Amino acid sequence: MLILFAAPALWPAYATILPQALAEAGLTAQIVTEAADPALVDYIIYAPSAPLQDFTPFTRCKAVLSLWAGVERIVGNTTLTQPLTRMVDPYLTEGMVEWVVGHALRHHLGMDRHILNPTHVWDPTCPPLARQRPVAMLGLGALGLAAARALQALNFPVTGWSRAPKVIEGLTCLHGEAGLQQALSTAAIVVTLLPRTPQTENLLNARTLAYLPKGAVILNPGRGPLIDDQALLAALDSGQVAHATLDVFRTEPLPPDHAFWTHPQVTVTPHIAADTRPHSAARVLVENIRRAETGAPLLHLVDRALGY
Ligand code: NDP
Ligand code: OXD
């Protein structure tokens, strides 16, 4: 079996772990970072940094396995006719849960007030309990649902919103425009864990930001284009949104002159909410290769029509 690891910059992190995981699964493979003959490649491991853009010559390739959870940079590639899977990595999920919970607690507990207190004001106002701080979780996939569960475990009342109607035990699940309005209208904290698709672009815009109660906080670890930047800045300036913690941006790295860098109510984190972790990701990749080799259905298949 020939595997093309088409993300050469990431190869050092996988050079030992991936062959080990293959061996543990009883699979024998040669792994290359450049294919001398694309027609001999059985699987492609892909990341958006990969120079590979034309999948046409990979006539024998049984699957393209993305190292990233978000696939917006490959899903529309018309040369890609092979099945595409996205990364659902338990350690990546763990990282996202930590980022979401950490930033939610920062705002919930008003930590900045005490960490940045240059005048040593003694203000004994106690924050409300999490149970009094409703959260809207936009996106209930691998990451959104895990983050929702972690927040619920701390007693935050979470309302979820997704594309398709859902019934999830112990979680209010909404969908559609009316569902979005309902989820936003009571949210003190909004978390956006949606993929970037034509349907989700500018989902948070002047109209939908106005659904929020005044002073809500936004956490966006999903994708930059989910939010209309100008509408968000206007909502921050008017106090409609009290703070936005943003991990992802339309242009990354965020350009040095972007208003988000200097806005006092914006926290920028540099797309570090959750990384694919080679140790656990290698096992996910190998499980899908094992499945493809035995004719079992692939896990985490991307729906090309939906774009995620
Ligand atoms: P999933 O595909 O598992 O979940 C996506 C969720 O979004 C689903 O609940 C889906 O609804 C919902 N959704 C999609 N389109 C719409 C729509 N038009 N309206 C309402 N809901 C919609 O993805 P993950 O949870 O694994 O990842 C989510 C995103 O997080 C990734 O696409 C990526 O952009 C981002 N990400 C960011 C990282 C970072 O470090 N900042 C790291 C990893 C991922 P339904 O359930 O009905 O299909
Ligand atoms: C991803 C990401 O999609 O890191 O995996 O954003």
Side-chain angles (χ1 to χ4, degrees):
M1 179 198 312
L2 182 60
I3 300 174
L4 171 62
F5 193 96
L10 300 176
W11 175 240
Y14 288 86
T16 308
I17 281 168
L18 187 56
Q20 256 171 20
L22 285 161
E24 277 166 25
L27 296 167
T28 312
Q30 185 194 358
I31 311 173
V32 294
T33 52
E34 262 181 64
D37 183 356
L40 298 180
V41 170
D42 293 291
Y43 297 95
I44 298 173
I45 296 173
Y46 169 90
S49 59
L52 177 57
Q53 289 301 320
D54 183 7
F55 293 88
T56 317
F58 295 89
T59 48
R60 166 191 168 118
C61 175
K62 289 167 238 171
V64 175
L65 311 168
S66 171
L67 286 170
W68 280 42
V71 289
E72 71 275 12
R73 281 156 73 180
I74 183 175
V75 74
N77 186 322
T78 51
T79 69
L80 180 67
T81 51
Q82 300 85 349
L84 171 66
T85 65
R86 52 185 220 91
M87 181 50 67
V88 177
D89 162 19
Y91 284 9
L92 181 154
T93 304
E94 228 173 277
M96 183 59 81
V97 167
E98 290 178 13
W99 187 94
V100 170
V101 170
H103 288 280
L105 285 175
R106 169 193 171 193
H107 294 297
H108 165 59
L109 295 175
M111 288 184 191
D112 293 8
R113 211 156 53 92
H114 306 291
I115 294 168
L116 314 168
N117 186 4
T119 51
H120 302 167
V121 172
W122 182 269
D123 173 4
T125 313
C126 212
L129 292 172
R131 64 181 70 249
Q132 296 163 297
R133 191 90 75 181
V135 175
M137 183 63 64
L138 308 186
L140 290 173
L143 301 177
L145 185 55
R149 289 302 197 202
L151 291 169
Q152 283 186 310
L154 293 170
N155 293 327
F156 286 99
V158 181
T159 299
W161 183 77
S162 59
R163 182 188 52 81
K166 286 192 196 310
V167 178
I168 300 175
E169 206 189 327
L171 185 66
T172 304
C173 297
L174 303 173
H175 65 281
E177 174 67 25
L180 179 65
Q181 180 167 2
Q182 191 181 330
L184 294 180
S185 64
T186 55
I189 301 176
V190 181
V191 185
T192 46
L193 270 168
L194 300 158
R196 179 189 180 175
T197 69
Q199 288 70 38
T200 60
E201 182 131 8
N202 291 327
L203 183 85
L204 292 186
N205 53 43
R207 180 178 54 82
T208 53
L209 289 171
Y211 295 152
L212 290 165
K214 199 171 173 72
V217 162
I218 293 175
L219 310 182
N220 181 20
R223 282 294 183 259
L226 301 177
I227 306 182
D228 175 336
D229 288 5
Q230 294 314 317
L232 176 59
L233 287 165
L236 286 160
D237 289 342
S238 72
Q240 170 65 8
V241 172
H243 196 101
T245 298
L246 310 172
D247 185 59
V248 281
F249 304 91
R250 282 165 195 273
T251 305
E252 293 182 7
L254 184 65
D257 59 348
H258 197 288
F260 287 156
W261 279 119
T262 48
H263 199 289
Q265 271 91 252
V266 174
T267 300
V268 170
T269 63
H271 201 144
I272 44 81
D275 218 357
T276 300
R277 308 286 165 152
H279 189 77
S280 45
R283 286 180 165 67
V284 175
L285 297 170
V286 167
E287 171 58 11
N288 257 342
I289 293 173
R290 190 195 66 75
R291 285 171 166 260
E293 289 298 300
T294 57
L298 292 174
L299 300 174
H300 321 309
L301 256 185
V302 172
D303 182 322
R304 302 289 177 84
L306 292 176
Y308 68 96

